[in-house]
Each structure stands twice: as structure tokens, then as C-alpha cells.
Amino acid sequence: MGTGVRRRMGVEERRQQLIGVALELFSKHSPDEVSIDEIASRAGISRPLVYHYFPGKLSLYEAALRRAAEDLSSRFAEPHEGPLGARLRRVMARFFDFVEEHGPGFSALMRGGPAVGSSTTNALVDSVRQAAYEQMLAHMGVVGPAPARLELVVRSWISLVESTALIWLDGRRVPREELETKLVQDFAALAAVAAARDEELATLLRGLVKQETGDGPFSDLAARMIALAEE
């Protein structure tokens, strides 16, 4: 028979356990609805012991956000192979996997929570946006500072993705797959409008468009635009 003695966790192992428990709770409930007592209960420890590792809910919330931010940033990573439209479609699928898994937590992070406006929260949100921006430039083969109009396009599109995800979470009235494709096509449309005024960007897009397949999201958008013009 076993002794029933539970292995004692080290300091860092316990901290990581608490962050994991907190992230799971913050992903399913708004931060204001999660209590230290509930976190302690889920972790199988006492309330005072939680405070031994974290001074309060705010610090634990920020630690959970940091882990979530690292996870979300990684969703934009994708091998730089194949058509850009197909790559972005896979990126959007992983992004919305995260949004679905962490709905209330994602909303709290973007709309506000116990740490809204804090330097830590702002830095975490900015780090996700910057990681997405850098990944997008890498997908387009841009090395070094981006041309001014391309930077506007990419950063505007990242903001559009964020706001679209927040709106979608409130009712989910549009099928998720349709929304993912729409956002990829939104990027193509924004880039095309900017390229009409920027020959450097137009040259870059011509090279990317040549790699597209007939059944990709960019080709589908072009076909729909032509059909609208012909009606």
C-alpha cells in the first residue's frame, strides 16, 4: 500500500502551478469573478500559501497574462514556405483557437481587467502586437525597417484582427472559418490599396501574388471582386 504522502513542490514549480491554475480560471471567467480562495482550492493549497508566492491577485493575474501573451505571440509563427494566403489562413486558425480557449481572459486583456492601464499589462499587450508585426514582415520577406505604407497596413490589420475577435466573442454570429478567411482577405485588400500609391510595395506584392494558387484566399477575393464588377 502507498503511504499517501504528497510530494512537496519546489518554489518555482509551485509558482508555475499557480500560474497555470490562474490562467485556466481567467480563461473561463473575467478576472473580477476569480478569487484567491478559488485559485487556492484548485491548486490544493491554503489561501495564505498563495500569498506566500504572489503578493496579491493582481501580480498573479499579470503572471498569467505573461504566459498567455507568450502563447498568443507564438500563434503567428509559421514556416515561410508556400503561398502567403495559405500561411495567413493557418495563422488565423491558430489565433482563433487561442481566442476560443481563452475567451473571457482574452476579452479582459483587451478590454480591461484588474490590471488595465498598468505598465505591465500594456507592455504585455504591446509585446504580442509587436511579435505579430515582426512575423508578418518576415512572412512577406521584408528585412529591416518596413516601408511606411506597409507598416501602416500591417499594424492596422493587427488592430482589425483584435477588434474582430472581440466582436465575434460577443455572440459568435458569424461562422469562425468564414471570419478567418475574411481577415486574410482583409489584409490582401488593405495591402492592395496601399500598393496603388507605392511602387515599392506594389513590386513586393506582385512577387507574393505570383506564388498564390487558384484555390487560395487571395485568388478567391480577386474572383469575387471581378464578379461584382461584372454584375
Side-chain angles (χ1 to χ4, degrees):
M1 295 179 63
T3 62
V5 176
R6 185 180 300 176
R7 182 179 65 86
R8 185 172 182 176
M9 292 186 180
V11 173
E12 185 56 28
E13 186 179 6
R14 178 65 78 185
R15 280 179 57 84
Q16 293 304 316
Q17 182 215 20
L18 288 170
I19 291 171
V21 168
L23 180 58
E24 181 181 0
L25 289 170
F26 290 137
S27 296
K28 297 175 181 176
H29 309 280
S30 67
D32 291 336
E33 296 173 344
V34 178
S35 69
I36 288 293
D37 287 333
E38 187 173 8
I39 294 170
S41 177
R42 290 287 187 95
I45 61 176
S46 66
R47 175 189 175 96
L49 194 53
V50 175
Y51 286 111
H52 175 74
Y53 294 99
F54 293 93
K57 187 169 75 170
L58 177 58
S59 63
L60 185 50
Y61 177 67
E62 289 178 344
L65 287 186
R66 185 172 292 105
R67 182 181 290 184
E70 292 169 355
D71 182 4
L72 184 54
S73 296
S74 71
R75 307 289 173 121
F76 286 86
E78 173 77 18
H80 301 161
E81 302 170 357
L84 177 61
R87 280 183 263 156
L88 295 186
R89 187 65 180 75
R90 291 191 290 272
V91 167
M92 285 296 93
R94 288 197 299 272
F95 175 82
F96 274 90
D97 282 344
F98 180 94
V99 171
E100 281 206 301
E101 293 165 10
H102 304 280
F106 178 81
S107 295
L109 175 60
M110 297 302 174
R111 288 177 171 154
V116 65
S118 77
S119 58
T120 299
T121 304
N122 291 340
L124 288 171
V125 174
D126 287 344
S127 72
V128 173
R129 291 170 178 155
Q130 185 62 23
Y133 173 73
E134 292 172 0
Q135 285 288 346
M136 288 297 295
L137 294 185
H139 281 304
M140 300 183 75
V142 176
V143 179
R149 291 184 181 87
L150 178 58
E151 180 175 2
L152 284 173
V153 166
V154 175
R155 293 197 186 278
S156 296
W157 180 73
I158 291 169
S159 295
L160 176 62
V161 171
E162 285 179 15
S163 59
T164 298
L166 288 171
I167 295 169
W168 178 76
L169 279 171
D170 188 15
R172 309 188 185 197
R173 293 177 292 174
V174 176
R176 175 182 149 175
E177 289 189 2
E178 177 185 330
L179 204 60
E180 292 167 0
T181 300
K182 172 194 173 299
L183 285 168
V184 173
Q185 294 174 338
D186 285 340
F187 178 78
L190 288 169
V193 170
R197 295 171 172 81
D198 188 320
E199 184 55 35
E200 182 182 5
L201 180 53
T203 300
L204 174 63
L205 288 184
R206 288 190 194 102
L208 293 170
V209 167
K210 288 179 181 178
Q211 301 174 24
E212 294 297 316
T213 59
D215 59 351
F218 290 175
S219 299
D220 176 65
L221 174 62
R224 290 176 185 273
M225 294 298 294
I226 293 171
L228 282 174
E230 292 176 345
E231 288 182 1

